Amino acid sequence: MRVAAVDLGSRRIGVAVSDGSGTLATPRCTVERSGDPEADRARVVDVVVEAGAGRLVVGLPLSLDGRRRRAAVAAESEATALRTLLAARGVEVETFDERFTTVSAERSLAAAGRVGGARRKVVDQAAAAVLLQAWLDAQPPAR
């Protein structure tokens, strides 16, 4: 089953998608926030459906000590709204700890020579790919 993931930022939403075997995560796109949460969710739903994903993983930005603060509560609320929109399409939605995904993505992009504006344009989708790969790696092997 193909899986999608989103890294929710205040300005952009990074999207990544797995391969059909659910083994490898790849950055897909970045959705620029429009100021209209419903329109932004509709764009995310369109990407998830277009990718043929059967599950969406929403990054949950827990604090370093594992507590749910404002950003995590907002992400859970967003996951609930996306769950409602995607339920009719048979797509399951869950949250997954995303601590350090953006930091890991930033480091990887810097190591690859991406700097400044070029890095900002793709860091959110790279963070979504780091999140999705961590989720994929945490899944038990299929039988």
Side-chain angles (χ1 to χ4, degrees):
M1 169 180 62
R2 194 174 298 270
V3 181
V6 290
D7 178 74
L8 302 169
S10 59
R11 295 184 184 180
R12 290 173 293 277
I13 301 168
V15 184
V17 179
S18 76
D19 60 347
S21 68
T23 305
L24 183 64
T26 305
R28 176 71 174 226
C29 65
T30 301
V31 174
E32 296 289 332
R33 293 273 191 184
S34 67
D36 179 353
E38 290 180 22
D40 297 344
R41 284 185 207 111
R43 290 174 60 205
V44 169
V45 166
D46 288 345
V47 172
V48 170
V49 170
E50 177 186 297
R55 180 178 305 272
L56 174 64
V57 178
V58 177
L60 185 62
L62 299 171
S63 64
L64 291 179
D65 64 5
R67 285 194 249 175
R68 285 172 165 77
R69 290 200 163 67
R70 183 180 303 159
V73 170
E76 288 173 327
S77 176
E78 195 70 19
T80 299
L82 288 165
R83 187 175 293 113
T84 300
L85 294 170
L86 287 165
R89 293 177 164 92
V91 178
E92 296 181 28
V93 177
E94 67 180 83
T95 58
F96 189 75
D97 183 2
E98 70 162 23
R99 286 178 280 187
F100 307 115
T101 56
T102 301
V103 171
S104 295
E106 286 273 4
R107 287 182 181 155
S108 295
L109 291 170
R114 294 266 181 125
V115 294
R119 186 164 64 205
R120 273 191 299 281
K121 288 182 180 180
V122 297
V123 70
D124 299 289
Q125 58 187 278
V130 171
L131 163 71
L132 180 54
Q133 192 64 57
W135 183 88
L136 292 168
D137 292 346
Q139 300 311 298
R143 292 183 195 183

PDB file of all heavy atoms in Angstrom, residues 13 19 32-33 35 38 45 51 54 60 73 79 81 85-87 92-93 95 104 107 125 128-131 135 138 141:
ATOM      1  N   ILE A  13       3.208  23.232   3.636  1.00  0.00           N
ATOM      2  CA  ILE A  13       2.938  21.851   4.030  1.00  0.00           C
ATOM      3  C   ILE A  13       3.751  20.964   3.096  1.00  0.00           C
ATOM      4  O   ILE A  13       3.547  20.983   1.877  1.00  0.00           O
ATOM      5  CB  ILE A  13       1.438  21.503   3.891  1.00  0.00           C
ATOM      6  CG1 ILE A  13       0.591  22.440   4.754  1.00  0.00           C
ATOM      7  CG2 ILE A  13       1.199  20.038   4.250  1.00  0.00           C
ATOM      8  CD1 ILE A  13      -0.895  22.367   4.454  1.00  0.00           C
ATOM      9  N   ASP A  19       6.784   4.372  -2.015  1.00  0.00           N
ATOM     10  CA  ASP A  19       6.623   3.524  -3.197  1.00  0.00           C
ATOM     11  C   ASP A  19       5.477   2.551  -2.907  1.00  0.00           C
ATOM     12  O   ASP A  19       4.961   2.491  -1.800  1.00  0.00           O
ATOM     13  CB  ASP A  19       7.920   2.787  -3.532  1.00  0.00           C
ATOM     14  CG  ASP A  19       8.398   1.868  -2.402  1.00  0.00           C
ATOM     15  OD1 ASP A  19       7.888   1.967  -1.274  1.00  0.00           O
ATOM     16  OD2 ASP A  19       9.282   1.049  -2.659  1.00  0.00           O
ATOM     17  N   GLU A  32       1.861  25.501  -0.588  1.00  0.00           N
ATOM     18  CA  GLU A  32       2.005  26.812   0.053  1.00  0.00           C
ATOM     19  C   GLU A  32       0.709  27.132   0.789  1.00  0.00           C
ATOM     20  O   GLU A  32      -0.379  26.971   0.237  1.00  0.00           O
ATOM     21  CB  GLU A  32       2.286  27.891  -0.992  1.00  0.00           C
ATOM     22  CG  GLU A  32       3.600  27.723  -1.727  1.00  0.00           C
ATOM     23  CD  GLU A  32       4.820  28.017  -0.870  1.00  0.00           C
ATOM     24  OE1 GLU A  32       4.716  28.832   0.077  1.00  0.00           O
ATOM     25  OE2 GLU A  32       5.880  27.441  -1.158  1.00  0.00           O
ATOM     26  N   ARG A  33       0.808  27.558   2.032  1.00  0.00           N
ATOM     27  CA  ARG A  33      -0.372  27.942   2.799  1.00  0.00           C
ATOM     28  C   ARG A  33      -1.015  29.165   2.142  1.00  0.00           C
ATOM     29  O   ARG A  33      -0.335  30.121   1.790  1.00  0.00           O
ATOM     30  CB  ARG A  33      -0.006  28.290   4.232  1.00  0.00           C
ATOM     31  CG  ARG A  33       0.490  27.114   5.051  1.00  0.00           C
ATOM     32  CD  ARG A  33      -0.651  26.401   5.670  1.00  0.00           C
ATOM     33  NE  ARG A  33      -0.165  25.442   6.666  1.00  0.00           N
ATOM     34  CZ  ARG A  33      -0.948  24.627   7.314  1.00  0.00           C
ATOM     35  NH1 ARG A  33      -2.239  24.626   7.083  1.00  0.00           N
ATOM     36  NH2 ARG A  33      -0.454  23.784   8.187  1.00  0.00           N
ATOM     37  N   GLY A  35      -3.760  30.790   3.583  1.00  0.00           N
ATOM     38  CA  GLY A  35      -4.497  31.584   4.555  1.00  0.00           C
ATOM     39  C   GLY A  35      -5.904  31.042   4.763  1.00  0.00           C
ATOM     40  O   GLY A  35      -6.625  31.472   5.656  1.00  0.00           O
ATOM     41  N   GLU A  38      -9.280  25.453   4.936  1.00  0.00           N
ATOM     42  CA  GLU A  38     -10.084  24.490   4.182  1.00  0.00           C
ATOM     43  C   GLU A  38      -9.535  24.278   2.777  1.00  0.00           C
ATOM     44  O   GLU A  38      -9.483  23.151   2.286  1.00  0.00           O
ATOM     45  CB  GLU A  38     -11.548  24.934   4.141  1.00  0.00           C
ATOM     46  CG  GLU A  38     -12.228  24.823   5.502  1.00  0.00           C
ATOM     47  CD  GLU A  38     -13.679  25.269   5.462  1.00  0.00           C
ATOM     48  OE1 GLU A  38     -14.292  25.261   4.377  1.00  0.00           O
ATOM     49  OE2 GLU A  38     -14.194  25.622   6.531  1.00  0.00           O
ATOM     50  N   VAL A  45      -5.626  16.846   0.280  1.00  0.00           N
ATOM     51  CA  VAL A  45      -6.466  15.698  -0.080  1.00  0.00           C
ATOM     52  C   VAL A  45      -6.265  15.348  -1.552  1.00  0.00           C
ATOM     53  O   VAL A  45      -6.109  14.171  -1.905  1.00  0.00           O
ATOM     54  CB  VAL A  45      -7.954  15.976   0.234  1.00  0.00           C
ATOM     55  CG1 VAL A  45      -8.867  14.957  -0.426  1.00  0.00           C
ATOM     56  CG2 VAL A  45      -8.177  16.000   1.743  1.00  0.00           C
ATOM     57  N   ALA A  51      -1.908  10.535  -5.556  1.00  0.00           N
ATOM     58  CA  ALA A  51      -0.790   9.610  -5.334  1.00  0.00           C
ATOM     59  C   ALA A  51      -1.261   8.174  -5.133  1.00  0.00           C
ATOM     60  O   ALA A  51      -0.459   7.247  -5.155  1.00  0.00           O
ATOM     61  CB  ALA A  51       0.025  10.059  -4.122  1.00  0.00           C
ATOM     62  N   GLY A  54      -3.248   4.958   0.511  1.00  0.00           N
ATOM     63  CA  GLY A  54      -4.300   4.373   1.331  1.00  0.00           C
ATOM     64  C   GLY A  54      -4.216   4.803   2.783  1.00  0.00           C
ATOM     65  O   GLY A  54      -5.072   4.470   3.594  1.00  0.00           O
ATOM     66  N   LEU A  60       3.476  14.815  14.030  1.00  0.00           N
ATOM     67  CA  LEU A  60       3.061  15.302  15.340  1.00  0.00           C
ATOM     68  C   LEU A  60       4.286  15.898  16.038  1.00  0.00           C
ATOM     69  O   LEU A  60       5.167  15.156  16.486  1.00  0.00           O
ATOM     70  CB  LEU A  60       2.475  14.150  16.168  1.00  0.00           C
ATOM     71  CG  LEU A  60       1.896  14.516  17.524  1.00  0.00           C
ATOM     72  CD1 LEU A  60       0.722  15.481  17.382  1.00  0.00           C
ATOM     73  CD2 LEU A  60       1.457  13.255  18.258  1.00  0.00           C
ATOM     74  N   VAL A  73      -1.047  20.057  19.442  1.00  0.00           N
ATOM     75  CA  VAL A  73      -2.506  20.124  19.508  1.00  0.00           C
ATOM     76  C   VAL A  73      -3.067  20.587  18.164  1.00  0.00           C
ATOM     77  O   VAL A  73      -4.055  20.041  17.666  1.00  0.00           O
ATOM     78  CB  VAL A  73      -2.957  21.045  20.667  1.00  0.00           C
ATOM     79  CG1 VAL A  73      -4.449  21.320  20.615  1.00  0.00           C
ATOM     80  CG2 VAL A  73      -2.564  20.439  22.014  1.00  0.00           C
ATOM     81  N   ALA A  79      -5.087  16.768  11.721  1.00  0.00           N
ATOM     82  CA  ALA A  79      -5.238  15.349  11.393  1.00  0.00           C
ATOM     83  C   ALA A  79      -6.704  14.929  11.474  1.00  0.00           C
ATOM     84  O   ALA A  79      -7.192  14.182  10.614  1.00  0.00           O
ATOM     85  CB  ALA A  79      -4.389  14.482  12.334  1.00  0.00           C
ATOM     86  N   ALA A  81      -9.333  16.878  10.988  1.00  0.00           N
ATOM     87  CA  ALA A  81     -10.021  17.465   9.832  1.00  0.00           C
ATOM     88  C   ALA A  81      -9.704  16.686   8.560  1.00  0.00           C
ATOM     89  O   ALA A  81     -10.606  16.410   7.752  1.00  0.00           O
ATOM     90  CB  ALA A  81      -9.621  18.933   9.678  1.00  0.00           C
ATOM     91  N   LEU A  85     -12.155  14.393   5.904  1.00  0.00           N
ATOM     92  CA  LEU A  85     -12.190  14.580   4.452  1.00  0.00           C
ATOM     93  C   LEU A  85     -11.792  13.324   3.685  1.00  0.00           C
ATOM     94  O   LEU A  85     -12.298  13.073   2.590  1.00  0.00           O
ATOM     95  CB  LEU A  85     -11.264  15.735   4.050  1.00  0.00           C
ATOM     96  CG  LEU A  85     -11.687  17.126   4.531  1.00  0.00           C
ATOM     97  CD1 LEU A  85     -10.568  18.120   4.270  1.00  0.00           C
ATOM     98  CD2 LEU A  85     -12.981  17.554   3.843  1.00  0.00           C
ATOM     99  N   LEU A  86     -10.886  12.544   4.245  1.00  0.00           N
ATOM    100  CA  LEU A  86     -10.359  11.379   3.524  1.00  0.00           C
ATOM    101  C   LEU A  86     -11.115  10.077   3.813  1.00  0.00           C
ATOM    102  O   LEU A  86     -10.947   9.102   3.089  1.00  0.00           O
ATOM    103  CB  LEU A  86      -8.876  11.201   3.853  1.00  0.00           C
ATOM    104  CG  LEU A  86      -7.963  12.236   3.199  1.00  0.00           C
ATOM    105  CD1 LEU A  86      -6.586  12.235   3.847  1.00  0.00           C
ATOM    106  CD2 LEU A  86      -7.858  11.992   1.705  1.00  0.00           C
ATOM    107  N   ALA A  87     -11.938  10.068   4.841  1.00  0.00           N
ATOM    108  CA  ALA A  87     -12.656   8.842   5.215  1.00  0.00           C
ATOM    109  C   ALA A  87     -13.508   8.309   4.067  1.00  0.00           C
ATOM    110  O   ALA A  87     -13.520   7.101   3.806  1.00  0.00           O
ATOM    111  CB  ALA A  87     -13.526   9.090   6.444  1.00  0.00           C
ATOM    112  N   GLU A  92      -6.957   6.111   5.497  1.00  0.00           N
ATOM    113  CA  GLU A  92      -6.807   6.221   6.945  1.00  0.00           C
ATOM    114  C   GLU A  92      -5.803   7.316   7.267  1.00  0.00           C
ATOM    115  O   GLU A  92      -4.853   7.537   6.510  1.00  0.00           O
ATOM    116  CB  GLU A  92      -6.335   4.896   7.524  1.00  0.00           C
ATOM    117  CG  GLU A  92      -7.348   3.779   7.341  1.00  0.00           C
ATOM    118  CD  GLU A  92      -6.884   2.473   7.936  1.00  0.00           C
ATOM    119  OE1 GLU A  92      -6.098   2.505   8.904  1.00  0.00           O
ATOM    120  OE2 GLU A  92      -7.302   1.426   7.419  1.00  0.00           O
ATOM    121  N   VAL A  93      -6.002   7.987   8.389  1.00  0.00           N
ATOM    122  CA  VAL A  93      -5.123   9.082   8.815  1.00  0.00           C
ATOM    123  C   VAL A  93      -4.642   8.798  10.228  1.00  0.00           C
ATOM    124  O   VAL A  93      -5.439   8.417  11.090  1.00  0.00           O
ATOM    125  CB  VAL A  93      -5.850  10.446   8.761  1.00  0.00           C
ATOM    126  CG1 VAL A  93      -4.946  11.561   9.276  1.00  0.00           C
ATOM    127  CG2 VAL A  93      -6.324  10.746   7.339  1.00  0.00           C
ATOM    128  N   THR A  95      -1.321  10.058  13.240  1.00  0.00           N
ATOM    129  CA  THR A  95      -0.215  10.956  13.550  1.00  0.00           C
ATOM    130  C   THR A  95       1.015  10.128  13.909  1.00  0.00           C
ATOM    131  O   THR A  95       0.909   8.971  14.304  1.00  0.00           O
ATOM    132  CB  THR A  95      -0.558  11.904  14.715  1.00  0.00           C
ATOM    133  OG1 THR A  95      -0.888  11.130  15.868  1.00  0.00           O
ATOM    134  CG2 THR A  95      -1.715  12.828  14.348  1.00  0.00           C
ATOM    135  N   SER A 104      16.813  17.114  10.435  1.00  0.00           N
ATOM    136  CA  SER A 104      17.450  16.094   9.587  1.00  0.00           C
ATOM    137  C   SER A 104      17.380  16.479   8.121  1.00  0.00           C
ATOM    138  O   SER A 104      18.358  16.338   7.378  1.00  0.00           O
ATOM    139  CB  SER A 104      16.771  14.732   9.770  1.00  0.00           C
ATOM    140  OG  SER A 104      16.952  14.259  11.070  1.00  0.00           O
ATOM    141  N   ARG A 107      19.841  19.350   7.367  1.00  0.00           N
ATOM    142  CA  ARG A 107      21.219  18.861   7.311  1.00  0.00           C
ATOM    143  C   ARG A 107      21.492  18.108   6.012  1.00  0.00           C
ATOM    144  O   ARG A 107      22.539  18.285   5.397  1.00  0.00           O
ATOM    145  CB  ARG A 107      21.517  17.965   8.508  1.00  0.00           C
ATOM    146  CG  ARG A 107      21.649  18.735   9.788  1.00  0.00           C
ATOM    147  CD  ARG A 107      21.985  17.846  10.953  1.00  0.00           C
ATOM    148  NE  ARG A 107      22.088  18.647  12.167  1.00  0.00           N
ATOM    149  CZ  ARG A 107      21.912  18.184  13.374  1.00  0.00           C
ATOM    150  NH1 ARG A 107      21.637  16.909  13.566  1.00  0.00           N
ATOM    151  NH2 ARG A 107      22.016  18.976  14.420  1.00  0.00           N
ATOM    152  N   GLN A 125       9.032  19.347   2.079  1.00  0.00           N
ATOM    153  CA  GLN A 125       8.785  18.022   1.495  1.00  0.00           C
ATOM    154  C   GLN A 125       9.885  17.037   1.881  1.00  0.00           C
ATOM    155  O   GLN A 125       9.620  15.850   2.056  1.00  0.00           O
ATOM    156  CB  GLN A 125       8.583  18.095  -0.015  1.00  0.00           C
ATOM    157  CG  GLN A 125       9.712  18.696  -0.792  1.00  0.00           C
ATOM    158  CD  GLN A 125       9.363  18.898  -2.252  1.00  0.00           C
ATOM    159  OE1 GLN A 125       9.464  17.949  -3.007  1.00  0.00           O
ATOM    160  NE2 GLN A 125       8.989  20.097  -2.634  1.00  0.00           N
ATOM    161  N   ALA A 128       8.925  15.897   5.274  1.00  0.00           N
ATOM    162  CA  ALA A 128       7.840  14.919   5.169  1.00  0.00           C
ATOM    163  C   ALA A 128       8.397  13.549   4.785  1.00  0.00           C
ATOM    164  O   ALA A 128       7.936  12.520   5.284  1.00  0.00           O
ATOM    165  CB  ALA A 128       6.797  15.389   4.152  1.00  0.00           C
ATOM    166  N   ALA A 129       9.417  13.538   3.914  1.00  0.00           N
ATOM    167  CA  ALA A 129      10.026  12.262   3.517  1.00  0.00           C
ATOM    168  C   ALA A 129      10.772  11.624   4.686  1.00  0.00           C
ATOM    169  O   ALA A 129      10.716  10.396   4.871  1.00  0.00           O
ATOM    170  CB  ALA A 129      10.963  12.467   2.326  1.00  0.00           C
ATOM    171  N   VAL A 130      11.458  12.427   5.495  1.00  0.00           N
ATOM    172  CA  VAL A 130      12.141  11.903   6.689  1.00  0.00           C
ATOM    173  C   VAL A 130      11.101  11.324   7.649  1.00  0.00           C
ATOM    174  O   VAL A 130      11.275  10.214   8.179  1.00  0.00           O
ATOM    175  CB  VAL A 130      12.978  13.005   7.379  1.00  0.00           C
ATOM    176  CG1 VAL A 130      13.500  12.538   8.736  1.00  0.00           C
ATOM    177  CG2 VAL A 130      14.137  13.434   6.481  1.00  0.00           C
ATOM    178  N   LEU A 131      10.012  12.043   7.863  1.00  0.00           N
ATOM    179  CA  LEU A 131       8.922  11.573   8.723  1.00  0.00           C
ATOM    180  C   LEU A 131       8.357  10.258   8.200  1.00  0.00           C
ATOM    181  O   LEU A 131       8.218   9.290   8.947  1.00  0.00           O
ATOM    182  CB  LEU A 131       7.817  12.632   8.763  1.00  0.00           C
ATOM    183  CG  LEU A 131       6.444  12.184   9.265  1.00  0.00           C
ATOM    184  CD1 LEU A 131       6.481  11.914  10.752  1.00  0.00           C
ATOM    185  CD2 LEU A 131       5.394  13.217   8.927  1.00  0.00           C
ATOM    186  N   TRP A 135       8.342   6.466   9.807  1.00  0.00           N
ATOM    187  CA  TRP A 135       7.104   5.708  10.025  1.00  0.00           C
ATOM    188  C   TRP A 135       7.187   4.349   9.329  1.00  0.00           C
ATOM    189  O   TRP A 135       6.837   3.324   9.929  1.00  0.00           O
ATOM    190  CB  TRP A 135       5.893   6.507   9.507  1.00  0.00           C
ATOM    191  CG  TRP A 135       4.591   5.828   9.756  1.00  0.00           C
ATOM    192  CD1 TRP A 135       3.814   5.931  10.877  1.00  0.00           C
ATOM    193  CD2 TRP A 135       3.914   4.909   8.889  1.00  0.00           C
ATOM    194  NE1 TRP A 135       2.697   5.143  10.749  1.00  0.00           N
ATOM    195  CE2 TRP A 135       2.732   4.505   9.536  1.00  0.00           C
ATOM    196  CE3 TRP A 135       4.194   4.390   7.632  1.00  0.00           C
ATOM    197  CZ2 TRP A 135       1.828   3.611   8.970  1.00  0.00           C
ATOM    198  CZ3 TRP A 135       3.305   3.500   7.060  1.00  0.00           C
ATOM    199  CH2 TRP A 135       2.134   3.121   7.725  1.00  0.00           C
ATOM    200  N   ALA A 138       9.324   1.925  11.145  1.00  0.00           N
ATOM    201  CA  ALA A 138       8.770   1.489  12.435  1.00  0.00           C
ATOM    202  C   ALA A 138       7.669   0.433  12.274  1.00  0.00           C
ATOM    203  O   ALA A 138       7.237  -0.154  13.268  1.00  0.00           O
ATOM    204  CB  ALA A 138       8.208   2.693  13.195  1.00  0.00           C
ATOM    205  N   PRO A 141       7.343  -5.991   9.742  1.00  0.00           N
ATOM    206  CA  PRO A 141       7.447  -6.548   8.390  1.00  0.00           C
ATOM    207  C   PRO A 141       6.145  -7.226   7.974  1.00  0.00           C
ATOM    208  O   PRO A 141       5.481  -7.867   8.794  1.00  0.00           O
ATOM    209  CB  PRO A 141       8.579  -7.562   8.495  1.00  0.00           C
ATOM    210  CG  PRO A 141       9.094  -7.515   9.878  1.00  0.00           C
ATOM    211  CD  PRO A 141       8.251  -6.580  10.678  1.00  0.00           C
TER     212      PRO A 141
END
